[in-house]
Amino acid sequence: MTLDATLAQIDADQPAALERLLALLRIPSISTDPAFASHCDLAADWLVADLGSIGVSAQKHTTPGHPMVVGHVEGPADGSGPHVLFYGHYDVQPVDPLTLWDRDPFDPEVQQTPNGPVIRGRGAADDKGQLMTFVEACRAWKAVHGEMPCRITFFFEGEEESGSPSLVPFMKENADLLRADVALICDTGLFESRVPSIITQLRGLLGEEIHLTGPDKDLHSGMYGGAAMNPIRVLTRILGNLHDDQGRIQVPDFYDGVPELTPEVAAQWEGLDFDHATFLGDVGLASPAGEQDRNALEMIWSRPTAEINGIIGGYTGDGFKTVLPSKASAKVSFRLVGQQDPHAIRENFRAWVKAQVPADVDVSFAPHGASPASQMSTAHPAFEACRGALGVEWGFDAAFTGCGGSIPVAGYFQSILGLESMLVGWGKDDDQIHSPNEKYDLESFHKGIRSWARILDAIR
Ligand code: BES
Ligand code: ZN
């Protein structure tokens, strides 16, 4: 049977594939909010059943958090082809602020837009739509060939959006279940929304919460203001000190382990012809805000960052209240590159904060995940095969690129299973992942499925 027959089957089955994705999107599997735990469970059940429908023997594995789904299927009887491990995550981000959504985030639908039809709903792009592109490609392959192209292990996580607390213990305990020759991860996007992209480096991520307490209760700022230390004043000074005027991060030793780009990678990125003006212009901005001696592509792919993701404190309701608050807190995250050590940075950050907290104010911290950056080796033959396959589907040669986001599992595949990961995905820059009105282009879904069929055909 030819690849064309599989592609034709994919095209013919699009309406049914879309219905299956919509069914998965209706399950509100928000991993970070305990109120949605039973829905995470349901999403895992849904995947087990769906894998079962294409002959994959899959199981839900309970963890202290949300369940993992692992499924296995054999390839051709002659045992040919590589054994691939496919990873995706079925959990999604919270939907708030709900008022900014144009419709119920868990009542997905296809909408027509000036740029073509889109699937609107939480998780459409990150990551349910993406993981289903692989499942649908396997379904079509099976329908046409009566067997899978190669031996495949499916691995779906339900805690990716909340720091993957169960991932490392699960992988260590179940290493034999997850053994394969190469990992495929579908949780990234196209370069500039057009060019298929194979990710060769991912940033790591470290999360910290700072909690400051000043007076032991909220006070009237007329009675106490001036005399009592305001914890928001302390917090904003510390946060304001995170970056200097040149955009460099001031935590001691923060840049230890940050490499310069090799000339080869620098030339490769130069060749991508990244449109700097459009990148920021598309979100209403014009001036790159990172280290002033770096360009925007470096800022998002190869430089570390510190971002303040949230500040809590004082009176934030309508109207006005002259409160001198007892407490103030902030959520801060660091994107890490190269050999930066998340644990050392956590320690250094805490010490740096503590040194700036005056008498009368107490500080405490809460940790939120710590994963190092990862660098893929592209030596596995799957990478070159994939590159060719993607060029045919998308009409552009696939690019080897960086990625500003973090997908900690790629590093764990390397360190725990000794597996290289090939990261490809079909998301677009305007998918609004993690934001209100998340969408996935129907084109991404359809061509993504076709892309996986081509990739599987090329690497089997
Ligand atoms: N799919 C994203 C990673 C991503 C983001 C890829 C942007 C390409 C472009 C992933 O689900 C994600 O959001 N990861 C989190 C990290 C996690 C530990 C909370 C992130 O990058 O913030
Ligand atoms: Zn994701």
Side-chain angles (χ1 to χ4, degrees), residues 89 125-127 160-161 187 407 433-434:
H89 62 91
D126 191 8
D127 182 40
E160 197 273 349
E161 300 289 12
D187 196 20
I407 305 177
I433 61 172
H434 296 204

Side-chain angles (χ1 to χ4, degrees), residues 1-351:
M1 286 288 181
T2 63
L3 172 63
D4 286 345
T6 307
L7 296 175
Q9 169 66 20
I10 288 170
D11 296 349
D13 200 35
Q14 264 304 281
L18 177 63
E19 282 311 317
R20 284 185 287 268
L21 172 57
L22 293 177
L24 179 58
L25 291 175
R26 282 186 202 107
I27 307 173
S29 45
I30 302 171
S31 60
T32 198
D33 186 342
F36 291 83
S38 64
H39 298 286
C40 293
D41 220 55
L42 279 176
D45 290 334
W46 190 96
L47 286 165
V48 168
D50 195 59
L51 288 175
S53 75
I54 57 170
V56 177
S57 133
Q59 274 184 319
K60 186 171 80 172
H61 297 259
T62 52
T63 73
H66 304 302
M68 307 279 178
V69 172
V70 181
H72 292 287
V73 66
E74 292 301 318
D78 64 5
S80 60
H83 178 181
V84 304
L85 172 68
F86 177 82
Y87 168 93
H89 62 91
Y90 67 77
D91 64 320
V92 300
Q93 284 277 324
V95 295
D96 57 293
L98 193 54
T99 49
L100 294 185
W101 284 80
D102 296 334
R103 61 181 290 109
D104 178 348
F106 296 109
D107 181 19
E109 68 168 3
V110 173
Q111 296 177 345
Q112 301 304 324
T113 78
N115 296 324
V118 304
I119 305 161
R120 185 85 63 190
R122 173 55 92 227
D126 191 8
D127 182 40
K128 290 172 175 172
Q130 302 243 71
L131 77 83
M132 287 306 288
T133 60
F134 185 81
V135 174
E136 293 299 343
C138 293
R139 188 187 320 273
W141 194 288
K142 177 86 190 283
V144 169
H145 296 78
E147 63 182 13
M148 292 297 180
C150 57
R151 197 167 167 205
I152 304 172
T153 299
F154 297 79
F155 182 27
F156 299 136
E157 186 193 357
E159 300 183 322
E160 197 273 349
E161 300 289 12
S162 49
S164 300
S166 309
L167 185 62
V168 168
F170 181 82
M171 286 177 66
K172 286 186 171 160
E173 279 160 32
N174 296 277
D176 286 338
L177 205 59
L178 300 170
R179 269 280 173 244
D181 299 322
V182 66
L184 306 175
I185 300 179
C186 193
D187 196 20
T188 52
L190 303 163
F191 176 66
E192 294 195 320
S193 301
R194 291 174 296 123
V195 179
S197 154
I198 303 173
I199 307 293
T200 59
Q201 55 187 62
L202 285 163
R203 292 196 291 188
L205 188 63
L206 169 68
E208 277 283 273
E209 268 182 45
I210 314 172
H211 294 271
L212 296 178
T213 306
D216 61 6
K217 54 182 80 65
D218 281 5
L219 304 174
H220 188 295
S221 68
M223 282 178 73
Y224 286 94
M229 180 53 87
N230 182 331
I232 299 183
R233 172 174 152 196
V234 177
L235 182 68
T236 52
R237 175 184 288 254
I238 294 171
L239 297 179
N241 285 341
L242 255 181
H243 301 86
D244 72 9
D245 291 345
Q246 295 303 306
R248 282 186 63 91
I249 293 145
Q250 299 301 292
V251 176
D253 302 329
F254 181 75
Y255 289 92
D256 284 4
V258 175
E260 282 304 322
L261 286 184
T262 62
E264 295 77 40
V265 173
Q268 205 182 334
W269 290 5
E270 198 64 39
L272 291 173
D273 214 11
F274 178 68
D275 186 341
H276 289 264
T278 311
F279 174 66
L280 283 181
D282 278 351
V283 293
L285 300 174
S287 312
E291 296 160 275
Q292 290 307 295
D293 53 346
R294 306 283 171 177
N295 67 45
L297 200 63
E298 287 177 275
M299 288 176 190
I300 54 170
W301 284 357
S302 65
R303 300 300 298 174
T305 63
E307 292 295 346
I308 302 152
N309 303 116
I311 300 186
I312 307 138
Y315 180 69
T316 58
D318 289 342
F320 205 78
K321 182 179 178 189
T322 51
V323 64
L324 195 163
S326 164
K327 292 180 186 302
S329 60
K331 296 176 193 284
V332 177
S333 64
F334 300 90
R335 298 274 169 186
L336 309 178
V337 303
Q339 305 305 314
Q340 276 183 302
D341 175 353
H343 301 287
I345 291 176
R346 195 193 295 289
E347 291 314 308
N348 293 342
F349 173 68
R350 290 183 176 191

